[in-house]
């Protein structure tokens, strides 16, 4: 997971240096209009979701406050594309208390785990599957859980994943843990500090 996150960041920076965003979004808008002319409304929805995701990726600002609400909106758009891609074979459920949505989190920290759960856990499954995302407050921490009922991870592979260092963005007490059982699914627990946008602004003013 750590390697994939690093690769995704490198690919994003490479795209930012090569891509003309205005041309890209104008082209997507043109494609959407054409799809609308043919009443291909699901295609229009997919293009709209893709445009939102690309804007979030390409116009990233390291100093911008990014909240759990932003992350879930990104995941919402991603979910629309996944539903079309897998013809509703994969369901994505979320359970997040409203008062936690304004918490500050690292940008796009949940979505890569969700993507791995879909690609490696649910996509190979011959029957429909479900992945759930839940977030709860545990004292001064946020606990994010991504859990699926997919094919699971082989024990040797799981041991190799566990041998990797969890990203130490906030220190040794934070990061992610993975548990899995073949044919039953995988569970990822991601722990980060509880921090609100209000607290962030106060710290900035200090």
């Amino acid at each position: 997971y750590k390697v994939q996150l690093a690769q995704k960041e490198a690919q994003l920076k490479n795209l930012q240096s090569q891509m003309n965003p205005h041309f890209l979004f104008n082209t997507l808008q043109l494609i959407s209009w054409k799809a609308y002319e043919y009443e291909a409304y699901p295609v229009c929805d997919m293009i709209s979701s893709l445009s939102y995701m690309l804007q979030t990726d390409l116009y990233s600002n390291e100093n911008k406050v990014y909240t759990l609400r932003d992350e879930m909106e990104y995941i919402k758009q991603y979910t629309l594309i996944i539903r079309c891609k897998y013809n509703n074979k994969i369901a994505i459920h979320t359970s997040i208390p409203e008062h936690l949505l304004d918490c500050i989190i690292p940008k796009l920290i949940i979505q890569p785990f969700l993507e791995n759960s879909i690609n490696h856990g649910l996509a190979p499954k011959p029957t429909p599957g479900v992945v759930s995302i839940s977030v709860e407050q545990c004292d001064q921490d946020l606990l994010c859980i991504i859990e699926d009922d997919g094919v699971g991870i082989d024990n040797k592979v799981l041991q190799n994943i566990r041998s990797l260092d969890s990203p130490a963005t906030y220190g040794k007490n934070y990061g992610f843990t993975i548990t899995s059982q073949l044919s039953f699914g995988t569970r990822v627990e991601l722990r980060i500090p509880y921090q609100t946008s209000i607290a962030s602004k106060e710290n900035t003013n200090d």
Side-chain angles (χ1 to χ4, degrees), residues 35-106:
Y36 187 83
E37 287 180 7
Y38 288 94
E39 300 183 354
Y41 303 125
V43 176
C44 295
D45 292 339
M46 289 181 67
I47 293 173
S48 176
S49 295
L50 177 61
S51 296
Y52 178 90
M53 294 172 66
L54 287 173
Q55 282 185 309
T56 302
D57 290 339
L58 293 175
Y59 294 112
S60 61
N61 185 339
E62 294 181 358
N63 297 320
K64 177 187 174 183
V65 173
Y66 191 77
T67 66
L68 181 57
R69 189 185 304 275
D70 296 324
E71 179 87 359
M72 297 316 298
E73 178 60 31
Y74 186 95
I75 287 175
K76 175 184 175 182
Q77 303 301 327
Y78 174 75
T79 298
L80 293 174
I81 295 176
I82 290 300
R83 285 176 179 169
C84 292
K85 179 179 180 180
Y86 292 101
N87 196 26
N88 291 321
K89 171 192 171 185
I90 295 174
I92 301 174
H93 297 164
T94 61
S95 176
I96 302 174
E98 179 70 25
H99 71 279
L100 295 181
L101 290 174
D102 291 324
C103 289
I104 296 173
I105 63 172

Side-chain angles (χ1 to χ4, degrees), residues 3 9 39 49 61 69 83 90 94 113 115 118 123 136 157-159 161-162 178-179 183 187 197 200 202:
V3 171
E9 180 68 21
E39 300 183 354
S49 295
N61 185 339
R69 189 185 304 275
R83 285 176 179 169
I90 295 174
T94 61
F113 290 103
E115 187 173 344
I118 292 172
E136 59 188 68
V157 175
L158 187 60
Q159 292 302 320
I161 295 174
R162 287 172 175 168
I178 303 175
T179 56
S183 302
R187 176 186 175 98
S197 56
S200 174
E202 290 176 349

Side-chain angles (χ1 to χ4, degrees), residues 119-133:
N119 291 340
H120 303 295
L122 298 177
K125 186 178 178 181
T127 57
V130 177
V131 56
S132 63
I133 301 172

Side-chain angles (χ1 to χ4, degrees), residues 151-155 158 162 178-182 184-187:
V151 298
I153 303 174
D154 178 80
N155 189 56
L158 187 60
R162 287 172 175 168
I178 303 175
T179 56
S180 185
Q181 187 176 357
L182 280 178
F184 286 93
T186 300
R187 176 186 175 98

Side-chain angles (χ1 to χ4, degrees), residues 18 22 35 81 85 90 145 148 156 163 174 178 180 183 190:
Q18 296 182 19
H22 296 293
I81 295 176
K85 179 179 180 180
I90 295 174
I145 300 172
D148 66 67
K156 289 185 178 180
S163 68
Y174 300 98
I178 303 175
S180 185
S183 302
L190 175 65

